[in-house]
Amino acid sequence: MFSNAMTLYRVVNPDSLGSYTELLHHQPTEDRVDDAEALPRLREWALAVLYRTEERFGMYQIAIMPLDQHHRPDENAFHDLIADDTEVIEDYLCWSGCSELVPASGR
């Protein structure tokens, strides 16, 4: 049985101090929360989800999170891992509505 999930959250009000996230999609995975090789697979999965949905411009958080007893992402357990200085897989994407926005490199 799976113990973790790839998660895709929309970041709501990213410019405010009280920003929060809204779970959009999750998919159980065998990847471990601290598996550094999981990040490329996570990004690929998240972009594929965004491509096939009608999500609009915005910032999105992606992560591999533990699942709770109801097989839903357990945000509290994830935050406990961070508080315990456990390396976790977490990143952010900026989405244009049709592709990922990549910061321009300075010259």
Side-chain angles (χ1 to χ4, degrees):
M1 180 166 292
F2 298 109
S3 60
N4 294 304
M6 295 184 290
T7 59
L8 175 63
Y9 288 83
R10 178 185 304 117
V11 178
V12 181
N13 300 324
D15 293 336
S16 73
L17 186 59
S19 69
Y20 59 96
T21 57
E22 173 186 12
L23 180 64
L24 298 176
H25 298 280
H26 74 281
Q27 177 178 321
T29 182
E30 293 180 8
D31 289 330
R32 294 186 315 269
V33 175
D34 61 351
D35 181 5
E37 296 175 6
L39 185 57
R41 290 189 300 274
L42 176 63
R43 290 183 68 79
E44 185 177 307
W45 169 81
L47 289 171
V49 168
L50 289 169
Y51 277 120
R52 68 177 182 261
T53 63
E54 295 182 12
E55 293 301 321
R56 297 192 174 133
F57 175 82
M59 181 180 289
Y60 296 85
Q61 176 193 28
I62 58 175
I64 295 184
M65 289 194 178
L67 291 172
D68 65 15
Q69 67 272 19
H70 303 290
H71 308 291
R72 300 277 303 161
D74 189 338
E75 295 177 30
N76 290 330
F78 185 75
H79 293 296
D80 289 346
L81 291 170
I82 293 170
D84 291 340
D85 285 330
T86 301
E87 192 73 29
V88 296
I89 302 301
E90 176 183 32
D91 203 358
Y92 291 86
L93 300 171
C94 290
W95 181 249
S96 71
C98 61
S99 64
E100 182 180 9
L101 296 174
V102 180
S105 61
R107 289 186 183 217

